Amino acid sequence: MADTGEQGESVSEPLDLVRLSLDEIVFVKLRGDRELKGRLHAYDSHCNLVLGEVEETIMTVEEDEQGQESVKTIKKQSEMLFVRGDSVVLISPQSPS
Amino acid sequence: MSFFGFDTALPGDKRGDSSNKGIFEHTDAFGGLQQTRKLQAFQDTENEILDFDDTYDGLADQLQETGDDLNDDTFGGGAEGPAAKDAVGKDFDFFGKTAQVSDAMNEEAMRYGLQQPSRLQQQQQQQEPRAARPTRSGYEVYQDPEYIPDIQAKSGFWSSRPQAQQQYQQPPQQAGGNERISTARPDPAPKPKMMTLEEIEAAMRGQQSPPHPQRAHFPLQAPPPGLAPHQMHQPMPPMPQPPPRQAPAPSAQSQPPPPQAQQHNQPPFQQAAQLQQQTPLQILQNPNRARHSPHPSKGQPLQVGNLPVITHPEQLMQLSEDQRRAYLEEDAKRAKRNHKIFMLSKGNGLMTPQDKNFITRIQLQQLVAATGNSVDSDSEAALVEDFYYQVYSQIRGAPRQHPTQPLGHFAQTYLFQTGGRTNNRRNAVNGDNHMQRMQQQVQRAVEAAKLKPKNKQLIIEGSLGKISFSNAKTPKPLLNIRREATSDSRPSTARKQTSTGGSDRKTVLKHIEAVYSDLMAMEDQERKMPQPPQPDSDQETITAHAEWRDELTRLNQQLWSDLKIMEPIVPGSSKTHPFIAFLSFTKGKKAVPRIFRQIDQEQRVTILTMIIVHLDQLDVIRNARPAPGETQPPAHIREEIETFSQAVQPPLMQYIGDAPINIMDGLLQLIIEHTNVINVACTRVGLVIMTLLLSRAELAKDTGDVSDEEWQQWVSHYNRLFDILEPVLPQVFPGPVNVGDDMYVWQFLAAVGIGASPEQQQRLVIAVKDRVMDTVSQSRSLPAEMSRQRLGNVNLFMRAIGLDVDMLG
């Protein structure tokens, strides 16, 4: 908002680093074995995020008859996503590939 | 109560005592008939017109009136009596006075118009020297200054007396036919009895039916048996022909016929009757009412819609089958309609006007809170409340200067309108109150909000720490990290910049964020702009504005340094210039229009120069050449190009559009000397920018503000550019003929062609001849729409060098 610090240049708290990734592609790891990759539109101090053009990856462990565990991944695409901050584990910049 | 105040209770009249009572107190409401009859008999013997004044007993003068002390103030000074009238000053409130009596005046005028013929007739008939004394006509009351024009004596109307008077005064006038009428009645009531309310209503309705329809029927009817012959040829519309029509009062007709009465010798009575007659007539000239006027006269075919008023079940039995059915249908319809109205009116009156006002106030409050009220002049609070909406509305309504003004104004207008619509002094006061209360509420909220942050923390003496409060707006900070003073952190980043050349990704991102912060600060500052100082402004205003201006300048400097535009250009360096790196990010490109709004012309030309110098290093040019085998650059580059042409090009274009030719010349020289023209020319952005420069130079030349020297310099640079470009012209097209949008190329070629010498034009044609021919032949196989578009593109170029596609056949 309008009242952010005069010198946005200075990185004095962790979230200032997140700010650098605004409008960039970020990788977000969530609790519950989920990962997101998308353009960061907005964030707040609770790490609530708004992401655009998101690809969500959900990893589930499935057990077959012999007790063999296998990891399955499900991918979802979303145009726009609101992520509640309490499930965010990490946010990482991701240069467009 | 008698109508004109004379005593109608004649001696010997048994029921005279009851004459002063209203309908509901009467033991016999219609006993008055006999009175009237007797009175008429009495008058017959006297055979003289009663003077109104003679009958006035002056009782009213003896009344002790109270509460009239302020009458003078209210009515403009004792205007009672002719003497007092002289005292009326020049400031007499004509309108007010007239308005008070306008009803009565209208009535009077109408009444007079209707009465005039009958009065003349009377006078003629009487053939007495009374013509010389028209005051005796019974009309003289109107000339009496003390005459009270408001004759709508409603109380009299509702009381039994005048009604009875009128109703039973008529039959005597019709002279003697009453017996036959009463025998004609199917249901004669032998004795006067109490009338039911329905019957009275029906009787009144009968009276109220306007005279005109009755007159229309009149010639068709056999003359009512009781009608006196002289009345037949008398044009007397206001006098209804009562006996046949007074069906709902059968009991009345049962009275024995009164003695013969001559109409012309009882003007006061007639007067009374007529007055009585017309008052309801004016009020109730309603077609629906007229339809209910009963026509039970024998032998008269029933007209559609002319249904008798049924007030008694017995009457229903008397009707014919058709009539009964029609009546029942009508009744059902009416019941249905009434039910509908009832259903609709269920919620009526649930809310008082105050309730409605209250709701309006709540809604308005939200409106005011959401948009900010220009009255409370605290747009700051509005911005804090809903920043994004404010900015959004500002953007949407770009021409508006102050975002809060129009909507606040709207809210006010709405408020005033609702206040005005009630059009009632009390409500207007209420409206004001609402406004005030609303303003107070907003102000209180703002003040409370202002006070809050001051005591965010409480330090109790002797305690080890601070106690901080939290609320919804400012949650209690669990981590109290002190923000480093900006001066502390700055050297470190500056050091890093110099070491890395300021072009690594993170640094550039930091620059971008810094620029955005500056932009937001500047835009905030713009919103806070104080009143521009006028020549007659006081010192405070001038100082405030000067301070504001200084702050803006400071912010501008800040922005300028954060843009890193003045970083030295290191020729041959592998590092990208920070500003060009800035532009390689989407958000960097998007910032450009906002930056251009905040900087002056000199800074703009600096930015433009910087971009031109590094034209071949811009990501949208460097990465824009499609990979071998591809016809287009990769998707994300295409997006960047799109962003660039939407965000960066328009401000540049705007600047170039006004720039003088020497700047064009300088920029062209920079392109030739500092960039790889071939690479630039092979990209869309590069071509568009060169097109801008070339066409602006031509335009400047056309408008004539170009000196020969400048033009010669320009031409020499143009020639150099042409020589460089000529060999690669066939390659500047994106892909083969059948793909892509090549309009920008044709635009560029047109811009080149306009400035070209004839010899250069020829070379130009040779260079792109193949493409022209291919496009023309290919467009023949395209649908008409697309074909026209592509040929149009080619024609842009062809016309520039004086040719046309059509010439190619």
Side-chain angles (χ1 to χ4, degrees):
Chain A
M1 239 200 72
D3 57 355
T4 29
E6 255 182 299
Q7 303 296 320
E9 200 182 334
S10 63
V11 179
S12 57
E13 57 175 276
L15 282 176
D16 283 352
L17 286 171
V18 178
R19 191 177 173 204
L20 297 185
S21 293
L22 274 175
D23 203 40
E24 297 291 305
I25 307 283
V26 291
F27 170 81
V28 181
K29 201 172 157 82
L30 299 178
R31 304 206 297 184
D33 301 320
R34 286 156 192 257
E35 289 168 356
L36 303 173
K37 201 192 220 181
R39 197 171 289 277
L40 178 66
H41 287 312
Y43 71 94
D44 68 6
S45 55
H46 308 288
C47 273
N48 294 326
L49 310 173
V50 177
L51 300 173
E53 306 148 42
V54 198
E55 184 188 68
E56 182 179 11
T57 313
I58 306 165
M59 272 152 285
T60 52
V61 177
E62 282 186 3
E63 214 172 291
D64 57 19
E65 305 86 59
Q66 288 93 44
Q68 295 281 312
E69 290 186 351
S70 58
V71 177
K72 269 188 76 179
T73 59
I74 306 160
K75 294 210 179 217
K76 283 187 194 166
Q77 299 284 336
S78 320
E79 184 116 358
M80 187 76 79
L81 210 62
F82 174 84
V83 184
R84 188 170 152 82
D86 64 355
S87 60
V88 172
V89 174
L90 76 83
I91 304 171
S92 150
Q94 190 99 3
S95 51
S97 51
Chain B
M1 183 210 276
S2 87
F3 197 76
F4 272 116
F6 54 82
D7 186 10
T8 50
L10 295 175
D13 190 329
K14 274 176 247 154
R15 299 185 198 89
D17 324 9
S18 65
S19 62
N20 282 336
K21 299 179 191 163
I23 279 181
F24 305 107
E25 313 144 70
H26 261 269
T27 48
D28 179 5
F30 298 92
L33 180 71
Q34 287 180 352
Q35 260 172 240
T36 318
R37 203 157 29 82
K38 294 221 172 131
L39 190 67
Q40 279 165 345
F42 171 66
Q43 282 163 0
D44 282 348
T45 57
E46 292 227 313
N47 200 15
E48 203 189 75
I49 286 177
L50 278 174
D51 189 45
F52 172 75
D53 290 335
D54 294 343
T55 64
Y56 183 58
D57 56 9
L59 278 172
D61 294 340
Q62 296 163 27
L63 285 174
Q64 279 280 331
E65 290 207 52
T66 53
D68 56 355
D69 315 280
L70 293 173
N71 275 3
D72 285 7
D73 292 0
T74 311
F75 299 107
E80 285 176 32
K85 261 182 193 163
D86 298 337
V88 172
K90 283 177 185 170
D91 57 345
F92 184 72
D93 178 12
F94 283 102
F95 179 76
K97 287 289 194 182
T98 314
Q100 284 171 11
V101 294
S102 65
D103 280 0
M105 278 166 60
N106 287 341
E107 267 180 63
E108 213 179 317
M110 185 152 169
R111 187 178 302 122
Y112 184 80
L114 290 170
Q115 225 160 20
Q116 199 68 354
S118 68
R119 190 163 64 92
L120 288 171
Q121 192 112 21
Q122 284 168 21
Q123 288 170 359
Q124 284 167 6
Q125 280 182 356
Q126 283 156 4
Q127 297 200 337
E128 281 178 29
R130 233 167 261 140
R133 301 190 306 162
T135 46
R136 279 294 172 123
S137 68
Y139 201 76
E140 70 274 17
V141 280
Y142 293 98
Q143 282 141 18
D144 187 341
E146 285 192 346
Y147 169 65
I148 299 152
D150 189 9
I151 347 160
Q152 289 177 329
K154 299 230 171 69
S155 60
F157 181 76
W158 287 106
S159 91
S160 66
R161 182 69 238 159
Q163 189 186 338
Q165 207 178 36
Q166 188 213 336
Q167 209 167 356
Y168 305 117
Q169 180 196 344
Q170 304 302 337
Q173 286 170 1
Q174 319 298 298
N178 258 4
E179 218 144 32
R180 263 190 282 167
I181 291 168
S182 52
T183 46
R185 292 280 138 224
D187 184 19
K191 275 195 272 179
K193 56 160 183 153
M194 279 288 280
M195 284 179 96
T196 63
L197 186 59
E198 285 86 358
E199 282 169 326
I200 291 164
E201 274 176 352
M204 275 157 43
R205 231 175 265 141
Q207 284 170 250
Q208 286 152 7
S209 48
H212 304 287
Q214 290 168 3
R215 256 173 98 202
H217 297 146
F218 188 68
L220 300 175
Q221 288 173 342
L227 207 59
H230 71 266
Q231 192 138 15
M232 281 303 292
H233 50 80
Q234 217 174 5
M236 277 244 342
M239 299 297 272
Q241 316 303 321
R245 272 180 284 284
Q246 307 253 325
S251 62
Q253 259 77 33
S254 68
Q255 292 290 326
Q260 178 105 11
Q262 270 121 32
Q263 192 193 354
H264 53 78
N265 58 5
Q266 36 171 311
F269 271 91
Q270 187 188 335
Q271 201 71 44
Q274 284 175 351
L275 297 184
Q276 203 54 37
Q277 193 67 29
Q278 279 158 17
T279 309
L281 190 140
Q282 279 185 336
I283 302 167
L284 300 162
Q285 265 179 353
N286 178 339
N288 287 335
R289 293 275 189 170
R291 268 173 62 201
H292 289 299
S293 66
H295 283 268
S297 36
K298 303 296 152 228
Q300 173 81 357
L302 190 84
Q303 291 174 1
V304 184
N306 275 350
L307 288 173
V309 173
I310 306 293
T311 55
H312 208 266
E314 282 172 33
Q315 282 175 297
L316 198 58
M317 303 307 289
Q318 301 153 13
L319 297 170
S320 73
E321 191 62 33
D322 281 353
Q323 280 176 324
R324 201 179 308 160
R325 199 171 45 238
Y327 170 75
L328 287 175
E329 269 172 24
E330 189 87 342
D331 205 39
K333 238 187 270 173
R334 201 166 41 231
K336 206 172 147 194
R337 193 166 143 268
N338 282 344
H339 184 253
K340 213 163 148 191
I341 290 171
F342 171 73
M343 293 305 280
L344 284 174
S345 67
K346 254 187 177 172
N348 280 5
L350 264 181
M351 288 171 78
T352 65
Q354 277 76 16
D355 290 340
K356 288 173 194 163
N357 257 338
F358 184 67
I359 300 290
T360 314
R361 193 160 63 88
I362 290 174
Q363 289 172 335
L364 273 177
Q365 207 171 324
Q366 288 167 347
L367 203 64
V368 169
T371 63
N373 194 341
S374 59
V375 178
D376 73 14
S377 75
D378 203 343
S379 54
E380 187 91 8
L383 278 175
V384 168
E385 195 68 35
D386 198 352
F387 176 81
Y388 290 105
Y389 174 71
Q390 289 302 320
V391 174
Y392 176 74
S393 59
Q394 190 183 26
I395 292 166
R396 286 294 297 271
R400 293 170 184 164
Q401 285 300 310
H402 298 283
T404 60
Q405 174 98 32
L407 288 163
H409 180 69
F410 162 71
Q412 273 179 14
T413 315
Y414 177 72
L415 197 71
F416 289 141
Q417 240 176 23
T418 45
R421 197 181 302 153
T422 48
N423 202 15
N424 169 328
R425 203 194 311 161
R426 200 171 60 99
N427 274 342
V429 169
N430 274 353
D432 281 350
N433 273 345
H434 288 306
M435 262 292 272
Q436 280 171 6
R437 267 195 276 171
M438 223 178 302
Q439 283 174 27
Q440 282 166 4
Q441 266 170 332
V442 172
Q443 269 168 7
R444 244 178 284 143
V446 169
E447 271 159 22
K450 274 181 187 161
L451 284 175
K452 266 277 166 58
K454 280 180 190 159
N455 13 327
K456 225 191 303 186
Q457 288 183 328
L458 174 71
I459 303 169
I460 298 169
E461 219 177 328
S463 71
L464 289 173
K466 302 165 186 170
I467 299 167
S468 39
F469 305 114
S470 76
N471 59 34
K473 282 244 176 78
T474 55
K476 185 175 171 178
L478 290 177
L479 279 172
N480 198 352
I481 300 168
R482 210 147 45 89
R483 232 174 223 274
E484 300 262 315
T486 50
S487 51
D488 290 346
S489 63
R490 229 169 154 194
S492 66
T493 48
R495 227 178 296 125
K496 223 162 82 191
Q497 254 170 38
T498 44
S499 62
T500 61
S503 293
D504 71 308
R505 184 181 165 81
K506 202 168 145 191
T507 317
V508 175
L509 285 173
K510 276 184 205 160
H511 294 161
I512 293 174
E513 289 311 314
V515 166
Y516 269 104
S517 297
D518 296 336
L519 282 175
M520 284 192 285
M522 291 188 83
E523 284 161 7
D524 245 10
Q525 188 70 11
E526 265 189 343
R527 275 189 285 274
K528 281 186 228 151
M529 185 171 82
Q531 291 278 318
Q534 307 293 329
D536 54 344
S537 297
D538 56 8
Q539 194 57 39
E540 203 175 316
T541 319
I542 294 168
T543 333
H545 198 262
E547 275 171 15
W548 176 81
R549 193 158 283 284
D550 289 349
E551 176 67 9
L552 203 61
T553 316
R554 194 188 65 75
L555 286 168
N556 179 289
Q557 292 304 319
Q558 179 79 46
L559 173 71
W560 197 240
S561 76
D562 284 335
L563 275 172
K564 309 290 172 202
I565 196 99
M566 300 311 276
E567 293 282 311
I569 302 165
V570 188
S573 161
S574 61
K575 300 264 196 308
T576 326
H577 187 274
F579 182 69
I580 301 305
F582 179 100
L583 284 182
S584 69
F585 284 91
T586 313
K587 48 185 169 180
K589 294 186 182 79
K590 283 178 183 163
V592 171
R594 287 169 76 178
I595 295 168
F596 262 67
R597 273 187 56 224
Q598 304 290 348
I599 56 178
D600 57 37
Q601 287 290 33
E602 201 170 320
Q603 289 169 321
R604 284 175 196 169
V605 75
T606 313
I607 289 183
L608 177 61
T609 312
M610 192 55 93
I611 291 174
I612 296 287
V613 168
H614 295 99
L615 207 53
D616 55 348
Q617 292 178 42
L618 286 173
D619 65 325
V620 286
I621 288 177
R622 195 181 54 209
N623 304 328
R625 291 192 82 163
E630 298 280 331
T631 58
Q632 280 183 311
H636 68 274
I637 300 290
R638 285 209 305 274
E639 258 173 53
E640 293 293 326
I641 292 173
E642 194 59 31
T643 312
F644 188 89
S645 46
Q646 277 172 12
V648 186
Q649 273 176 20
L652 296 183
M653 238 186 267
Q654 206 182 350
Y655 177 77
I656 290 174
D658 300 328
I661 192 163
N662 56 342
I663 288 186
M664 294 303 107
D665 184 47
L667 292 174
L668 190 64
Q669 193 182 349
L670 283 176
I671 291 177
I672 294 164
E673 288 171 2
H674 284 88
T675 67
N676 184 340
V677 180
I678 308 278
N679 281 353
V680 170
C682 289
T683 62
R684 180 189 179 131
V685 171
L687 277 186
V688 169
I689 287 181
M690 285 199 282
T691 311
L692 285 177
L693 298 181
L694 294 175
S695 54
R696 172 62 198 159
E698 286 303 322
L699 258 162
K701 184 197 159 202
D702 284 352
T703 48
D705 47 1
V706 179
S707 70
D708 276 355
E709 198 183 320
E710 280 173 332
W711 186 245
Q712 287 311 315
Q713 213 169 355
W714 165 261
V715 168
S716 73
H717 286 130
Y718 172 85
N719 289 341
R720 275 178 68 189
L721 180 72
F722 190 88
D723 291 343
I724 296 170
L725 281 177
E726 194 191 358
V728 294
L729 278 178
Q731 279 101 63
V732 297
F733 291 96
V737 178
N738 55 348
V739 287
D741 167 28
D742 54 1
M743 187 167 123
Y744 66 92
V745 182
W746 295 114
Q747 280 171 340
F748 170 71
L749 290 174
V752 173
I754 290 172
S757 66
E759 178 248 350
Q760 281 169 328
Q761 282 184 355
Q762 211 162 2
R763 285 156 67 192
L764 201 57
V765 170
I766 291 166
V768 296
K769 190 183 70 186
D770 288 350
R771 181 74 180 200
V772 172
M773 297 311 280
D774 286 355
T775 309
V776 169
S777 63
Q778 196 240 354
S779 68
R780 293 214 176 98
S781 60
L782 287 171
E785 183 68 20
M786 279 173 75
S787 166
R788 199 171 339 116
Q789 196 187 336
R790 304 214 55 172
L791 288 178
N793 290 343
V794 178
N795 242 353
L796 278 178
F797 162 66
M798 298 292 275
R799 295 223 172 103
I801 56 172
L803 298 172
D804 198 292
V805 179
D806 297 338
M807 296 158 89
L808 296 169

